[in-house]
């Protein structure tokens, strides 16, 4: 899936004279509509990017129009309280007492590990399949990061963990590559952070037992722009102790209240999330996530039964990993990736390439997806 430049000559340099907002808007609207990967189509099942619900898209636009300053609660009364309200809805479901929004789980993981370091952690311990943002955060914070091997299902093998008494242990609830959930029960670590960027929202569904133990964590990261179906940039970092926010707060002379977390100015991402959850209710959210889980299970079953294909493992959190059957010389993973295009993604697991399909699109139609896979397999090699 090579990348060809989509930038027309018109955009090659900063123009001396402007062409007006209306004309410019139409130009950009057309480019965005024509040259973006559709995420809500019947066969879209590639990455952890959901289609945006209308209510969230509209409220992101309205937020931009009013451009509230969250650093000054008195200047952003509703936006500030909406975030507090969202935290009051969500944090207790994970056994947490406070938290804040940030632009993604890379920032959420960094904020949590910063807090862990302030609490005395001297190193980070995670798995070889943890997201790269964990090692990045450790690097920024000047802490060594040790990666522990995973078992055959991609879960951290905690029997190989070193002494954790001065470590921040980062467990993943839904690894990026194959959606595996590490054993989440509390360990004797100085700090336990759960990177639930992907699978956190399962807590509101019939699959919540998969996250058993999450409530014992010291901190949790959740990307709302994944399984809460929000547009980017939307994530939460939650903490089990009120004092955690104090550890990562800085007061500035011009600020009425201290600035909490890594980011300074940021958008009011709590509003579209709160509104989406209000519009759907817990049941509406659960129905969508449960449909994604069921879609992944049906797809995996079809793949598993098909002698032309190999399924890596049963999808634990709606991530299906597969490739042509062992020894098939007629078609390769790369051929299939080329034929299936943006409807699939790929992942390297233990040095081997696999096709990956993440079910986060609630408009997906597994019959249509299966037909596409079937056709792609049937055609002669490119
Ligand atoms: C498990 C996990 N953690 C962290 C991240 C980083 O999140 P973001 O891209 O929102 O910074 C991702 C992104 O895919 C992820 O899958």
């Amino acid at each position: 899936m090579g990348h060809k430049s989509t930038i027309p000559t018109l955009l090659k340099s900063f123009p001396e004279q402007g062409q007006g907002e209306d004309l410019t808007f139409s130009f950009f609207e057309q480019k965005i509509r024509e040259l973006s990967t559709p995420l809500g189509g019947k066969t879209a099942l590639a990455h952890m990017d959901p289609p945006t619900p209308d209510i969230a898209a509209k409220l992101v636009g309205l937020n931009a129009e009013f451009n509230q300053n969250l650093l000054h609660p008195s200047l952003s009364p509703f936006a500030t309280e909406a975030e507090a309200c969202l935290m009051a809805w969500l944090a207790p479901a994970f056994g947490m007492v406070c938290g804040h929004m940030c632009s993604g789980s890379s920032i959420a993981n960094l904020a949590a590990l910063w807090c862990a370091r302030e609490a005395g952690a001297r190193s980070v311990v995670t798995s070889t399949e943890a997201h790269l943002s964990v090692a990045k955060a450790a690097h920024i914070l000047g802490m060594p990061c040790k990666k522990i091997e995973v078992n055959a299902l991609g879960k951290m093998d905690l029997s190989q963990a070193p002494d954790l008494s001065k470590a921040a242990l980062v467990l993943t609830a839904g690894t990026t590559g194959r959606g595996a959930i590490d054993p989440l029960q509390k360990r004797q670590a100085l700090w336990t952070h759960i990177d639930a960027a992907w699978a956190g929202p399962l807590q509101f569904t019939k699959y919540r037992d998969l996250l058993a133990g999450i409530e014992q964590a010291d901190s949790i990261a959740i990307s709302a722009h994944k399984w809460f179906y929000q547009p980017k940039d939307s994530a939460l970092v939650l903490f089990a102790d009120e004092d955690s926010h104090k550890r990562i707060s800085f007061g500035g002379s011009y600020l009425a209240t201290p600035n909490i977390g890594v980011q300074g100015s940021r958008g009011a991402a709590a509003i579209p999330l709160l509104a989406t959850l209000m519009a759907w209710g817990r049941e509406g959210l659960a129905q969508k996530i449960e449909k994604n889980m069921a879609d992944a299970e049906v797809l995996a079953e079809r793949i598993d039964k098909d002698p032309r294909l190999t399924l890596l493992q049963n999808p634990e959190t709606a991530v299906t990993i597969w490739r042509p059957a062992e020894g098939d010389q007629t078609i390769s993973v790369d051929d299939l990736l080329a034929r299936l295009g943006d409807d699939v993604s790929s992942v390297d697991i233990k040095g081997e390439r696999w096709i990956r399909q993440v079910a986060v699109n609630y408009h997906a139609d597994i019959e249509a997806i299966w037909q596409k896979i079937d056709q792609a397999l049937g055609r002669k090699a490119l």
Side-chain angles (χ1 to χ4, degrees):
M1 278 170 271
H3 176 73
K4 250 188 7 247
S5 171
T6 59
I7 296 297
T9 324
L10 200 58
L11 287 184
K12 294 268 157 116
S13 59
F14 186 178
E16 204 46 42
Q17 268 95 43
Q19 53 172 325
E21 291 194 10
D22 289 346
L23 201 63
T24 306
F25 181 81
S26 317
F27 170 83
F28 277 94
E29 184 183 21
Q30 189 203 347
K31 290 292 166 210
I32 292 173
R33 290 194 189 282
E34 276 176 14
L35 295 168
S36 298
T37 301
L39 303 174
K42 280 207 300 201
T43 55
L45 215 68
H47 292 274
M48 292 173 166
D49 302 319
T52 305
D54 285 349
I55 188 165
K58 285 185 192 146
L59 287 168
V60 167
L62 201 59
N63 268 347
E65 195 176 322
F66 284 83
N67 199 22
Q68 296 290 279
N69 189 336
L70 291 168
L71 292 170
H72 295 276
S74 61
L75 298 181
S76 55
F78 181 67
T80 297
E81 282 191 61
E83 182 163 328
C85 175
L86 180 74
M87 292 303 150
W89 283 16
L90 301 186
F94 295 91
M96 301 288 115
V97 299
C98 63
H100 61 274
M101 301 288 295
C102 49
S103 69
S105 283
S106 298
I107 299 290
N109 285 339
L110 176 58
L113 290 176
W114 174 19
C115 195
R117 194 191 65 181
E118 298 310 301
R122 292 289 160 260
S123 67
V124 173
V125 175
T126 195
S127 93
T128 51
E129 294 198 12
H131 188 261
L132 62 94
S133 58
V134 175
K136 200 199 286 183
H139 185 75
I140 293 170
L141 294 165
M143 300 202 278
C145 181
K146 181 173 170 52
K147 292 186 184 164
I148 299 176
E149 269 309 322
V150 294
N151 66 17
L153 295 175
K155 295 167 183 279
M156 187 191 284
D157 177 1
L158 271 153
S159 68
Q160 295 192 33
D163 172 23
L164 297 169
S165 57
K166 290 210 168 63
L169 175 66
V170 180
L171 302 167
T172 309
T175 54
T176 319
R178 50 174 143 170
I181 301 178
D182 287 335
L184 300 183
Q185 283 66 35
K186 195 172 175 68
R187 306 286 144 178
Q188 295 314 313
L190 188 130
W191 188 276
T192 303
H193 172 63
I194 298 187
D195 177 358
W198 168 238
L202 285 178
Q203 190 72 347
F204 300 100
T205 72
K206 67 178 183 185
Y207 296 98
R208 71 192 309 268
D209 287 353
L210 288 174
L211 300 182
I214 196 166
E215 65 291 340
Q216 295 160 10
D218 296 295
S219 54
I220 301 173
I222 304 170
S223 280
H225 55 218
K226 296 188 187 332
W227 237 347
F228 277 133
Y229 306 103
Q230 293 302 289
K232 297 171 189 69
D233 305 287
S234 186
L236 298 93
V237 55
L238 304 174
F239 294 98
D241 181 347
E242 288 283 357
D243 282 347
S244 294
H245 265 175
K246 289 192 198 130
R247 289 198 169 106
I248 54 168
S249 289
F250 271 69
S253 54
Y254 64 96
L255 292 177
T257 54
N259 170 211
I260 300 168
V262 177
Q263 288 177 264
S265 299
R266 57 182 168 83
I271 291 177
L273 175 54
L274 193 63
T276 306
L277 299 180
M278 182 173 163
W280 293 351
R282 191 209 52 80
E283 279 183 11
L285 172 73
Q287 272 165 14
K288 290 182 171 58
I289 297 176
E290 287 168 13
K291 177 194 185 290
N292 295 148
M293 289 286 276
D295 280 354
E297 277 159 32
V298 172
L299 178 64
E301 241 174 71
R302 294 255 178 116
I303 290 167
D304 202 24
K305 282 201 190 121
D306 195 310
R308 297 170 296 177
L309 301 173
T310 304
L311 179 74
L312 176 70
Q313 64 196 73
N314 287 327
E316 192 173 14
T317 62
V319 182
T320 309
I321 310 282
W322 58 277
R323 65 181 180 190
E326 225 58 55
D328 184 344
Q329 307 291 331
T330 62
I331 195 157
S332 67
V333 168
D334 285 342
D335 291 335
L336 277 174
L337 286 171
R339 290 173 188 181
L340 293 168
D342 293 331
D343 288 341
V344 299
S345 50
S346 66
V347 60
D348 285 346
I349 293 175
K350 301 212 183 269
E352 291 184 26
R353 201 138 196 242
W354 293 80
I355 292 170
R356 166 178 176 266
Q357 293 196 276
V358 181
V360 69
N361 166 20
Y362 45 82
H363 304 297
D365 173 350
I366 291 299
E367 283 311 320
I369 289 166
W370 184 250
Q371 258 180 29
K372 240 186 126 165
I373 293 175
D374 193 50
Q375 264 175 14
L377 285 166
R379 282 161 45 187
K380 290 212 174 73
L382 294 171

